[in-house]
Amino acid sequence: MAALQTSSSCQNSFANFVGRHDKRFSAIRQVGFASFYRQRRRKLDSVCIVSRSYGGGFSASQDESSPLEDNNKEKGLLLGEQRDGSGSVVGFHLIPPSGEEKLTESTVSDPDGDVSAAVGTEDQLSASVTYNIVFVTSEAAPYSKTGGLGDVCGSLPIALAARGHRVMVVSPKYTDGNPLNKKFANALDVGCPTKLYCFGGIQEVSFFHEYREGVDWVFVDHPAYHRPGTPYGDIHGSFGDNQFRFTLLCHAACEAPLVLPLGGFTYGEKCLFLANDWHAGLVPVLLAAKYRPHGVYKDARSILIIHNLAHQGVEPAVTYENLGLPSEWYGALEWVFPNWARKHALDTGETVNVLKGAIVTADRLLTVSQGYSWEITTPEGGNGLHELLSSRKAVLNGITNGLDVNEWDPSSDVHIASHYSIDDLSGKVKCKAALQEELGLPVRSDCPLIGFIGRLDFQKGVDILLSAAPELLQDDVQFVMLGSGETQYEDWMRHMESLYRDKFRGWVGFNVPISHRITAGCDILVMPSRFEPCGLNQLYAMRYGTVPVVHETGGLKDTVENFNPYAQEGSGEGTGWTFLPLSKENLLIALKIAIVTYREHKSSWEGLMKRGMSRDYSWNNAAVQYEQVFQWAFMDPPYVK
Ligand SMILES: Nc1ncnc2c1ncn2[C@@H]1O[C@H](COP(=O)(O)OP(=O)(O)O[C@H]2O[C@H](CO)[C@@H](O)[C@H](O)[C@H]2O)[C@@H](O)[C@H]1O
């Protein structure tokens, strides 16, 4: 692919002008930023426009002829610039249906109301109003994944694009040096190196791009992303420069809609940023502190999506000056720990908290289930931010995650031994036998097989499982765990395996095919999470006819309906078991009831399996609710102008 743009045009990006106190910056001050920026944009546009090839990403070459003439030959391409009253370019009428707002009447319900009410009131397959959406995330499957964040940011963008939105996902291009790692093989250099100002100097990143399933996957490349390990650390712990790595991501993501001619056209300034977790938390702060004061992104909106409030991106206060933010914005990120949380007498508790900065600057806040959106406003679930979050309750909603119904489909899953569906469950028995055989457990269809998949840490309640396991394994059951995390739990799994050769298997590591086989082969999936913003494994389990037993918290409470054998004139209702409060005893009671039901009440068990399998967990369902929140975001002026 030919480079789409001269690198010099990209290097003179907005960030340079704002960040560098050089000659060009004084030129901006002299002519006024908006008009300087307009001139740059015209120049940029004149070299950027190429014809768009749908579904295939970029076309092969730069178009020499008049872009307007040629592009109009294709259905609805460049229609012209959108300007505001001052003449500043706020976006482009680009390529309907993606990115073009159709001014149709929409049913906007009460912004303070229940988002899930949006489902069923809108067209189920396409949006009535579409947006230019920019996801910013530290992981997106299949390119990078350490957990549920990767799943969500790998699937939701595709669902939104399918509904007509123009969607870009900006994430780092992690390279571990392994030549066999081909995850980014289809991503091509856009030829748009861009200079960003942070951490005391100019940082140059380049952008790689792959157009897949209707989404512009954009990968920020920088040497800081080139190293073995996960996106966040390696066997020695978290990377010491994570604040730098994700600050860079946020700066790059803010530039991307302005400078990247994806499919021939920039996304423009009137876009909607979806900042996921603290790694993307500087995005709303940058919009407010760096861009809007110069008239840029005045019509953009930002939504912070909280997948896990436990991680906030907290660093010593002195690091503030590295973030590339004006000094007067320190208060937005300032976070002072209470006395009891300080380590020693000289510790002033002063830090910068990136997630807090996002909470106070984003236009709206979202969590990944309704239950969790309430929990984070309480002292128990707010991780110190509950008061702040409560103060923004009016713009805080929760939308339950969906799942990738193509990847997680028992009737076509490439990882499992036999396919099955709600109409013919016989394949599930074969999956169970195949899993038992693979793990070296006795192959017994009558023995309840219990599974656990997840990070081995405090959140997932592994310590509770650990204390309950010896008693559980007194019963005639088999138990398999897949996970990695804290060494003490990994060692415990190995120890349990040596103690209970015929009953327990622990798989230490991160292995997606095995996770599918456990989900399909087990009868019961246990999730004693201490807190769970949404949880995906219980959704996968239900879709595979595996009955979840979960702590009644957050998204687990919202998605697993407790079994009631007496309801529906004795035919029962519910999709699993929930228990509360979290304790070893309550976990064991719930598991024992599940085991007895499995053994002695076959028709009840089949009812549980089938009700779980018939639930709609598609991303389209969630996407409709997201659109409702998008509409609310654009109804209000920017929260921080
Ligand atoms: N060892 C292993 N091998 C293979 N696959 C493994 C694995 N360990 C975990 N996984 C997979 O990683 C994902 C984990 O999903 P969770 O919803 O439990 O997310 P997590 O806690 O990471 O994320 C946060 O974000 C998500 C997304 O919003 C929320 O659902 C969640 O509550 C919140 O804590 C699942 O796809 C699971 O199968």
Side-chain angles (χ1 to χ4, degrees), residues 205-237:
V205 297
S206 41
F207 291 99
F208 283 66
H209 172 256
E210 178 181 354
Y211 183 77
R212 182 179 60 80
E213 296 200 67
V215 174
D216 290 307
W217 303 92
V218 171
F219 305 107
V220 181
D221 196 30
H222 185 275
Y225 303 131
H226 301 176
R227 60 182 69 156
T230 75
Y232 314 108
D234 58 17
I235 47 167
H236 306 295

Side-chain angles (χ1 to χ4, degrees), residues 86-355:
S86 68
S88 154
V89 179
V90 294
F92 299 90
H93 281 288
L94 288 177
I95 325 154
S98 53
E100 176 63 11
E101 208 167 294
K102 288 181 217 151
L103 297 174
T104 53
E105 262 184 45
S106 61
T107 48
V108 178
S109 52
D110 173 12
D112 297 331
D114 178 1
V115 189
S116 60
V119 178
T121 61
E122 298 274 340
D123 178 353
Q124 288 294 306
L125 295 174
S126 61
S128 58
V129 181
T130 59
Y131 302 95
N132 286 352
I133 298 168
V134 183
F135 276 80
V136 188
T137 175
S138 58
E139 37 181 300
Y143 307 99
S144 51
K145 168 177 162 175
T146 67
L149 173 64
D151 282 339
V152 172
C153 292
S155 302
L156 177 58
I158 295 171
L160 288 166
R163 295 180 56 78
H165 302 280
R166 191 175 184 212
V167 187
M168 175 198 311
V169 179
V170 185
S171 190
K173 184 169 181 285
Y174 302 108
T175 314
D176 59 8
N178 180 354
L180 298 176
N181 185 348
K182 303 271 185 236
K183 288 183 178 154
F184 296 97
N186 295 327
L188 302 175
D189 191 341
V190 184
C192 190
T194 298
K195 290 179 174 166
L196 309 167
Y197 184 82
C198 61
F199 280 76
I202 305 283
Q203 318 293 340
E204 185 169 303
V205 297
S206 41
F207 291 99
F208 283 66
H209 172 256
E210 178 181 354
Y211 183 77
R212 182 179 60 80
E213 296 200 67
V215 174
D216 290 307
W217 303 92
V218 171
F219 305 107
V220 181
D221 196 30
H222 185 275
Y225 303 131
H226 301 176
R227 60 182 69 156
T230 75
Y232 314 108
D234 58 17
I235 47 167
H236 306 295
S238 296
F239 295 133
D241 59 349
N242 276 345
Q243 196 188 36
F244 169 69
R245 297 164 80 236
F246 297 118
T247 297
L248 208 55
L249 171 68
C250 294
H251 278 270
C254 288
E255 286 296 307
L258 303 177
V259 302
L260 296 184
L262 302 176
F265 304 95
T266 62
Y267 272 54
E269 292 175 47
K270 191 178 178 185
C271 54
L272 174 64
F273 285 92
L274 300 185
N276 293 273
D277 276 350
W278 81 263
H279 321 97
L282 279 185
V283 167
V285 188
L286 287 167
L287 297 185
K290 175 179 162 187
Y291 290 89
R292 285 198 186 120
H294 298 288
V296 181
Y297 282 134
K298 287 191 313 240
D299 293 320
R301 295 290 185 277
S302 60
I303 298 176
L304 170 68
I305 306 178
I306 301 173
H307 299 262
N308 195 336
L309 192 65
H311 304 285
Q312 301 179 1
V314 179
E315 294 282 344
V318 289
T319 61
Y320 179 80
E321 64 188 37
N322 291 328
L323 304 179
L325 291 166
S327 54
E328 63 271 23
W329 277 81
Y330 175 73
L333 271 72
E334 180 183 25
W335 186 248
V336 183
F337 279 102
N339 280 335
W340 61 262
R342 299 181 195 174
K343 289 192 179 130
H344 48 77
L346 298 178
D347 183 355
T348 57
E350 287 170 31
T351 62
V352 285
N353 181 328
V354 176
L355 194 71

Side-chain angles (χ1 to χ4, degrees), residues 145 148 151 307 401 455 459-460 509 511 532-537:
K145 168 177 162 175
D151 282 339
H307 299 262
N401 286 331
R455 261 194 330 277
Q459 175 189 346
K460 302 295 177 185
N511 190 315
E532 197 59 83
C534 176
L536 295 172
N537 287 318

Side-chain angles (χ1 to χ4, degrees), residues 439-441 469 473 479 481 489-508:
L439 297 174
L441 289 168
L473 291 169
F479 187 18
M481 289 178 70
Y489 298 133
E490 296 183 355
D491 292 345
W492 172 82
M493 275 164 46
R494 293 187 187 101
H495 175 65
M496 288 296 281
E497 197 170 303
S498 62
L499 278 184
Y500 298 93
R501 289 297 304 159
D502 282 351
K503 291 186 170 183
F504 184 89
R505 284 293 175 277
W507 190 297
V508 175

Side-chain angles (χ1 to χ4, degrees), residues 67-88:
L68 263 176
E69 254 173 48
D70 273 18
N71 289 337
N72 280 340
K73 287 177 198 159
E74 280 187 45
K75 184 175 163 260
L77 286 178
L78 183 68
L79 304 177
E81 295 169 348
Q82 275 180 306
R83 292 172 181 278
D84 64 9
S86 68
S88 154

